[in-house]
Amino acid sequence: MPARSKVQQEAAGAALAAKRGKRPVSSLQGASKKMEQSMTEDELKEFASTKRKDLPESIGKKPKK
């Protein structure tokens, strides 16, 4: 399942970096911390690799045209 917003994609990227050891887990907060704990590396990779072009900034907002 791809990320639904830019914020979600960014959080997944941070969680993936922590899971791979490229970023300290203690630097994570909020959604990225929960993602790192509950998702596999493959799931995080799928979320983080989502193209950002047409994503809304956050889930509650509609994309600009």
Side-chain angles (χ1 to χ4, degrees):
M1 174 167 71
R4 293 177 44 204
S5 71
K6 291 178 182 179
V7 173
Q8 191 178 45
Q9 188 264 348
E10 193 173 303
L16 181 60
K19 193 164 283 270
R20 290 179 173 171
K22 296 180 180 182
R23 177 181 182 154
V25 176
S26 61
S27 71
L28 301 177
Q29 39 184 315
S32 58
K33 190 172 197 173
K34 290 182 182 183
M35 287 175 142
E36 193 275 332
Q37 294 170 347
S38 64
M39 296 175 77
T40 66
E41 188 172 333
D42 288 338
E43 291 171 324
L44 288 171
K45 185 177 178 182
E46 185 177 351
F47 267 77
S49 66
T50 303
K51 301 294 182 204
R52 295 175 60 122
K53 183 178 179 185
D54 295 325
L55 292 178
E57 193 62 38
S58 64
I59 293 176
K61 296 181 183 177
K62 294 182 180 180
K64 293 181 182 178
K65 291 189 176 186

